[in-house]
Amino acid sequence: MKELDDLEKTIGLLKNFKHLYQRLHCGLLVCTPFVQMLCGASESFGQSVSRKQMIDDYLVYSRSNAGIYESTPIYHMVPSFNTVSYTGYVEKIDTVLTPPKAGPGVTASSVLGPGVVSDIELTGYRVSPHFALSLKKVGLGFSGERGQQNCFFRYENATQGTFIAQESTLDYSGIGLNLSFLPYQSSSKFLTIATILGWKSYSAKHKWSQYLTFNRAVGAIENPYKAGVRYSIERYQTGINATLALLKSFQLIPWADYQYTETSDAKAAFESTLRTTVADPIFENDVKLFWLSKQNFSYGLDIAILAGDFEIRLGGLLGTFGNLNASPDSIDDNSIDVSLSWDHKGG
């Protein structure tokens, strides 16, 4: 009889274990994709579906000089005696990031399976006016900037009925001051070299959600919450221009620029506002995407057409046409920017 009692207890334990296993298994089927994505696992989602991986791929692309034709930064002013300069810059951000497609150099784990969609949509704008006064060899410039950026990540698996989304937004404004001067007096009007020093301070309001994971069979797994911090960003700039006056109304402008962006206040504001020193990967990747997407050292060749008091720069436009097929298939960059400058000579 004792042996029968022991056998019945054993069978009961096995049944309980079976029920527990089934519940755990169902939970893992729902939660595993979400956990794998956060951890960057390379099995179900693949590295390419990771939000971080797509942002890192984009940073490699955006930090590279794809072509020689590029617009001169608007604060790169060449002093001209008794001149007031007005410059405006407008940028519309419209970029879609996707995982790489199958091909040479792409691992199988980095390619999405059938019925799976994953991408990041980057949208926003930037407006920057610039005003400068020129003396004989020195120019003093003042600038402002207003902008907004939005990053929306999604993952959808039609087979599993799983949808994952995350959104970050950045609203910011800034003011800047720059000084340009002619290091030496050129004996020829053909060549003018100018050196530029600049500083810009930004005030930012940064919000982001956690991942919302939704399964059509069981409903939402984790509700997102919106976190937000305010912080300041400091940017220091230096550069050089060489203006070649080939014709009376035509100039070539080779230029180089170096900038350093200080983002330590963003981390300090995160720790102070949320009262934690535990890093948030979403916030860290946002800071890189929003503030460090451009390389520190940049260069290019701009072309200027002079029409009366107006100066039309064509470097950015030529660079856009030249780089139409330069981006990888995983990056669809439809962003556009326009700048216009007007110089007014004093009486």
Side-chain angles (χ1 to χ4, degrees):
M1 293 296 294
K2 182 179 179 181
E3 289 78 3
L4 289 175
D5 291 340
D6 292 340
L7 181 59
E8 288 178 356
K9 290 180 180 179
T10 303
I11 293 174
L13 289 173
L14 289 175
K15 287 181 178 180
N16 291 334
F17 178 80
K18 178 182 178 182
H19 293 317
L20 177 62
Y21 170 79
Q22 289 174 338
R23 290 182 181 180
L24 287 174
H25 182 65
C26 292
L28 287 173
L29 286 176
V30 174
C31 297
T32 294
F34 176 63
V35 175
Q36 286 179 333
M37 181 192 66
L38 294 180
C39 298
S42 60
E43 295 175 75
S44 178
F45 273 75
Q47 294 178 351
S48 62
V49 187
S50 163
R51 179 181 187 271
K52 178 183 183 302
Q53 185 62 50
M54 282 193 281
I55 290 177
D56 287 345
D57 291 344
Y58 173 71
L59 292 178
V60 171
Y61 159 74
S62 63
R63 289 172 180 172
S64 64
N65 264 77
I68 188 63
Y69 291 111
E70 296 287 345
S71 291
T72 308
I74 63 172
Y75 54 85
H76 274 226
M77 178 191 63
V78 178
S80 179
F81 180 66
N82 199 24
T83 300
V84 180
S85 300
Y86 306 90
T87 305
Y89 175 87
V90 178
E91 179 184 16
K92 180 179 180 294
I93 303 171
D94 183 11
T95 304
V96 177
L97 315 180
T98 58
K101 297 178 175 61
V106 178
T107 59
S109 63
S110 297
V111 180
L112 295 178
V116 180
V117 177
S118 180
D119 58 35
I120 293 177
E121 294 182 2
L122 306 177
T123 56
Y125 70 90
R126 181 160 68 103
V127 179
S128 181
H130 185 266
F131 168 76
L133 302 171
S134 292
L135 302 177
K136 188 174 183 179
K137 291 185 178 182
V138 178
L140 184 62
F142 308 88
S143 61
E145 188 170 331
R146 178 74 174 90
Q148 182 183 81
Q149 296 188 56
N150 185 78
C151 174
F152 181 78
F153 166 80
R154 67 163 179 155
Y155 169 89
E156 187 168 8
N157 189 321
T159 303
Q160 296 180 354
T162 302
F163 180 81
I164 297 172
Q166 188 278 328
E167 185 174 23
S168 299
T169 58
L170 177 76
D171 288 284
Y172 69 92
S173 60
I175 57 173
L177 177 69
N178 65 277
L179 178 70
S180 60
F181 56 93
L182 305 178
Y184 66 91
Q185 183 64 44
S186 174
S187 59
S188 171
K189 294 184 178 181
F190 170 74
L191 173 64
T192 303
I193 296 178
T195 303
I196 298 95
L197 298 174
W199 159 85
K200 186 169 282 188
S201 178
Y202 297 95
S203 177
K205 182 171 66 174
H206 187 162
K207 292 184 177 181
W208 70 100
S209 72
Q210 293 300 311
Y211 293 98
L212 166 65
T213 305
F214 184 84
N215 187 287
R216 292 181 177 87
V218 299
I221 296 174
E222 180 172 329
N223 293 320
Y225 67 87
K226 278 279 188 178
V229 297
R230 294 176 181 267
Y231 54 80
S232 299
I233 296 291
E234 304 294 327
R235 182 167 286 166
Y236 306 93
Q237 302 149 327
T238 183
I240 187 170
N241 283 6
T243 303
L244 305 175
L246 301 181
L247 298 172
K248 185 178 180 180
S249 58
F250 180 83
Q251 298 176 343
L252 288 181
I253 310 173
W255 60 272
D257 184 82
Y258 178 83
Q259 66 177 17
Y260 171 75
T261 304
E262 178 58 64
T263 61
S264 59
D265 188 60
K267 180 181 178 181
F270 171 85
E271 295 177 352
S272 174
T273 303
L274 302 183
R275 297 182 179 181
T276 179
T277 57
V278 179
D280 186 335
I282 295 177
F283 179 76
E284 290 185 338
N285 287 314
D286 280 353
V287 172
K288 290 192 296 182
L289 177 65
F290 293 148
W291 296 109
L292 303 174
S293 62
K294 303 298 182 183
Q295 60 182 351
N296 291 337
F297 177 73
S298 58
Y299 58 88
L301 177 64
D302 204 353
I303 296 176
I305 304 296
L306 307 180
D309 290 339
F310 286 93
E311 181 178 275
I312 303 172
R313 299 291 180 91
L314 301 178
L317 181 63
L318 294 176
T320 299
F321 287 128
N323 298 332
L324 285 177
N325 297 316
S327 62
D329 293 338
S330 59
I331 299 175
D332 183 15
D333 190 357
N334 295 307
S335 302
I336 58 173
D337 60 87
V338 178
S339 62
L340 181 65
S341 178
W342 176 50
D343 294 334
H344 177 68
K345 292 281 187 180

